[in-house]
Amino acid sequence: MSNDTMPNDTMPTSNTSNDTTTAASPAQRKRRALLYAIGGGALAAALIIGSFAAGSAYRAGHPQQTAANAKAASDTSINASDSCDVTLNVVASVNQWGSLAQELGGNCVEVTSLINSTSADPHDYEATPQDLAKLSKAQIVVLNGAGYDGWAEKANLDASKQRIVNVGDIMGVTATEEHSHEHNEDTEGAGSEGESGHHHHHHGSTNPHLWFSPDAVLKASQAITKAYTDAAPDGGATEATVQRHSNAWNGDYAQFVALVNKGRTQNVERHYAATESVANYLLDYIGAVDKTPATYTNAMNSEAEPSASDLKNAIDTVESNDVDILVVNPQEMGEFAKKLDSAAKESNKTIISVTEQLPENKKTLLDWLTSITNQALAIDTTNGYFLTQDVKDRTLADYEGEWQSVYPYLQDGTLDSVMEAKAKKGDKTAEEYKQYYDTGYKTDVTKITIKGDQMSFTSDGKTATATYKYDGFKILDYEKGNRGVRYLFTATGDVPEGAPKVVQFSDHGIAPSKAAHYHIFMGNDSQEATLKEMDNWPTYYPASMSKEEVATEMLAH
């Protein structure tokens, strides 16, 4: 399905699940190139200290849209503009770092990630002779280190001939004696805390999940860029391409930092519990507070069973007002994790799913971190980032009035300027956007009038009116990581021809508020069947607006 899937025409998404919560980046030149890369990273790092100016790179209310557009432009640039005098052979132990290596090198690198799927368990991974051979033959090797990929660290690497980037070594994070991929029962150090006072998935006293640390990601990008520029011919095309990608990546990183700073300027504080402490580096970075009981965390980190009282304490914590979010690792959903997951669902809490490996639907590491950050901050309702517990019931009063379909304006060319504006920022031509929205907006219902509990639908000059009752709301999870809410209404009594039996509203709102425009899903079957509709979402604006005003309003989004 297209990444431009509704119900948010200002922030296209794609859907993966309809059955969800209900009400729920000579030698002097090389040094200069490296300084550029570090300088860009330093700029991003400076932003986190207190400068919020980069936030202006985002359109108000649409920060993720800007990041998505930049990513689309970056991908296009990689395909169209990369010039290489050599292609570097890169092997990464895991795809988290492999994706970063690919992004920084573009077409001038050939990257192999030995673990490249969320279906692989890195803790039980056994390297094949082929894996070890690839590592020993690579020009550049990218390792996580910190004991996470010990099998790769033990390969026959030669630092005198290869350029080895070990993120654990860069960050000063090393494996502890008690760490092992067999998860020894020795829990010494498993209860120790990180510098921020939060408990981590330690693998002993070490948290090896460094790709979730924005600081580690920034330093890794600098180290990989240096490895590339050192390996490439001096002053050649590959070096120039790598530098261009590094500069672009630093710009994306600055946008990520601006997103985090946006949460800080709004004094957002999220409290979370976690079935595993996989993403704690990132959650700490954005200022979230870990409320997971230490006794539960320690037991899970050492693969011991938490006692009945420890499990009950963890469940009570998840269900309490002290927790906004439960973070789960779908790769490790054992019996106890499932119990916490159920408790979060029953108490209407936001659940964020975080795998260890880069998900198949995420092309870059930074895109993934941005998605998780958006979900955790939950401050961009318009683009589908909100807390489950903040979704409230609504009535037809929020949609009362006379409304006109925008489909005729797409057909008569009024919205051509809107499609052209989308093309300048997105990954489609104006004509391709028009075709996409033709499917989305298409309807023969030109006018809808809502008053009280009645809705009237006008089509071909004929109007049909029916009475509707509220049937709650449904939260839909999209592949991108954002979500949407549909408010459900069902016709009662005799339903005349021309009036749908089922109506679902989506207006990017999650609580009682007068809609400025809305997308509507109509059906004559069940609410469940109508929830499956993702491609057609007729869109309506107030009938009092001229078609030029409608176009202007859309451009503002």
Side-chain angles (χ1 to χ4, degrees):
M1 186 176 295
S2 165
N3 284 337
D4 288 352
T5 301
M6 263 302 299
N8 192 337
D9 65 351
T10 63
M11 186 54 223
T13 55
S14 60
N15 174 270
T16 54
S17 173
N18 295 319
D19 186 15
T20 57
T21 309
T22 306
S25 138
Q28 288 180 327
R29 186 183 294 108
K30 291 188 177 182
R31 286 195 296 270
R32 189 162 57 246
L34 179 61
L35 285 172
Y36 285 141
I38 295 173
L43 169 61
L47 289 169
I48 199 68
I49 296 173
S51 169
F52 307 120
S56 63
Y58 295 81
R59 296 184 55 194
H62 302 282
Q64 184 62 14
Q65 184 181 33
T66 300
N69 292 333
K71 175 64 177 63
S74 175
D75 286 347
T76 301
S77 177
I78 287 175
N79 294 330
S81 305
D82 284 0
S83 179
C84 316
D85 44 10
V86 296
T87 300
L88 304 174
N89 175 27
V90 185
V91 175
S93 58
V94 293
N95 69 351
Q96 299 94 305
W97 297 117
S99 67
L100 178 61
Q102 185 67 68
E103 188 177 11
L104 291 169
N107 285 340
C108 295
V109 296
E110 185 175 307
V111 179
T112 299
S113 295
L114 298 179
I115 296 182
N116 196 34
S117 170
T118 55
S119 63
D121 186 345
H123 304 291
D124 297 328
Y125 189 76
E126 295 183 6
T128 66
Q130 292 84 354
D131 289 339
L132 299 178
K134 289 176 182 178
L135 284 165
S136 64
K137 293 177 181 178
Q139 291 172 274
I140 296 164
V141 175
V142 183
L143 306 175
N144 183 79
Y148 186 79
D149 46 7
W151 53 270
E153 292 183 271
K154 294 174 183 177
N156 187 26
L157 304 177
D158 187 345
S160 67
K161 297 179 180 179
Q162 298 172 288
R163 288 170 175 82
I164 303 169
V165 176
N166 186 310
V167 184
D169 289 350
I170 292 171
M171 298 302 295
V173 179
T174 57
T176 54
E177 183 177 340
E178 58 269 18
H179 170 274
S180 82
H181 287 295
E182 286 73 40
H183 295 278
N184 292 335
E185 293 301 316
D186 181 359
T187 60
E188 179 183 353
S192 61
E193 296 179 303
E195 293 179 3
S196 60
H198 302 315
H199 298 283
H200 296 302
H201 183 163
H202 293 281
H203 292 235
S205 60
T206 295
N207 178 3
H209 305 99
L210 294 170
W211 57 92
F212 285 120
S213 164
D215 292 329
V217 172
L218 175 61
K219 291 181 180 179
S221 75
Q222 296 166 356
I224 292 170
T225 297
K226 184 179 186 303
Y228 288 170
T229 56
D230 284 348
D234 204 27
T238 293
E239 185 182 66
T241 293
V242 166
Q243 189 54 58
R244 179 167 54 81
H245 287 307
S246 177
N247 291 342
W249 188 90
N250 282 320
D252 291 342
Y253 187 86
Q255 289 188 344
F256 166 75
V257 172
L259 171 62
V260 176
N261 280 337
K262 183 178 179 182
R264 293 181 178 183
T265 60
Q266 295 184 19
N267 296 316
V268 175
E269 183 177 278
R270 297 290 178 231
H271 294 180
Y272 73 95
T275 59
E276 276 192 71
S277 307
V278 173
N280 282 48
Y281 279 130
L282 178 59
L283 294 167
D284 290 351
Y285 184 87
I286 68 174
V289 179
D290 189 359
K291 291 290 185 177
T292 315
T295 51
Y296 176 89
T297 299
N298 295 343
M300 298 308 294
N301 285 349
S302 61
E303 284 206 338
E305 291 190 2
S307 67
S309 62
D310 289 340
L311 179 59
K312 182 180 185 304
N313 187 25
I315 291 174
D316 289 345
T317 298
V318 170
E319 293 177 339
S320 74
N321 292 330
D322 287 340
V323 166
D324 305 308
I325 295 167
L326 176 68
V327 181
V328 302
N329 176 4
Q331 290 178 269
E332 299 288 342
M333 289 300 287
E335 175 186 354
F336 303 109
K338 289 179 180 178
K339 289 182 183 296
L340 296 190
D341 185 66
S342 295
K345 290 176 180 176
E346 291 173 5
S347 58
N348 204 32
K349 297 297 174 63
T350 300
I351 300 174
I352 300 178
S353 180
V354 180
T355 56
E356 293 197 32
Q357 271 57 60
L358 184 75
E360 283 75 6
N361 67 333
K362 297 297 180 186
K363 291 184 178 180
T364 71
L365 179 56
L366 203 52
D367 180 42
W368 188 26
L369 299 187
T370 299
S371 176
I372 298 170
T373 299
N374 267 312
Q375 293 176 67
L377 290 177
I379 55 175
D380 190 7
T381 301
T382 299
N383 286 320
Y385 297 105
F386 51 83
L387 295 179
T388 299
Q389 51 269 39
D390 288 343
V391 181
K392 307 300 180 184
D393 290 311
R394 299 171 71 179
T395 69
L396 274 179
D398 283 358
Y399 309 99
E400 191 162 293
E402 294 187 2
W403 304 86
Q404 60 179 322
S405 167
V406 302
Y407 186 51
Y409 303 149
L410 183 72
Q411 292 180 301
D412 70 14
T414 301
L415 302 184
D416 284 356
S417 60
V418 178
M419 302 300 115
E420 290 164 3
K422 289 181 179 294
K424 290 180 180 179
K425 298 173 183 176
D427 56 358
K428 295 182 177 66
T429 65
E431 183 58 34
E432 286 171 336
Y433 273 114
K434 189 169 184 177
Q435 292 173 3
Y436 168 73
Y437 281 100
D438 186 87
T439 300
Y441 291 159
K442 190 171 186 176
T443 182
D444 59 1
V445 178
T446 56
K447 179 181 177 182
I448 297 177
T449 302
I450 303 173
K451 186 174 182 179
D453 58 359
Q454 291 191 323
M455 297 183 64
S456 298
F457 302 83
T458 300
S459 177
D460 296 327
K462 298 179 181 179
T463 299
T465 301
T467 300
Y468 292 82
K469 68 178 180 67
Y470 179 56
D471 264 344
F473 58 79
K474 194 77 170 179
I475 299 177
L476 302 183
D477 294 316
Y478 301 122
E479 188 176 272
K480 184 181 179 67
N482 59 346
R483 300 186 292 170
V485 182
R486 292 194 198 175
Y487 288 91
L488 318 179
F489 296 86
T490 302
T492 62
D494 294 331
V495 184
E497 183 179 352
K501 294 180 181 178
V502 169
V503 170
Q504 300 174 355
F505 289 96
S506 173
D507 65 336
H508 320 300
I510 62 171
S513 178
K514 179 63 177 176
H517 74 276
Y518 59 78
H519 314 286
I520 192 169
F521 302 80
M522 298 174 280
N524 289 311
D525 196 349
S526 63
Q527 293 287 2
E528 290 72 21
T530 305
L531 283 168
K532 296 177 181 179
E533 177 58 66
M534 289 288 150
D535 299 321
N536 178 236
W537 16 267
T539 300
Y540 292 80
Y541 275 74
S544 60
M545 296 178 67
S546 69
K547 61 184 182 179
E548 291 81 12
E549 288 174 329
V550 170
T552 298
E553 179 65 20
M554 286 187 173
L555 284 169
H557 289 300

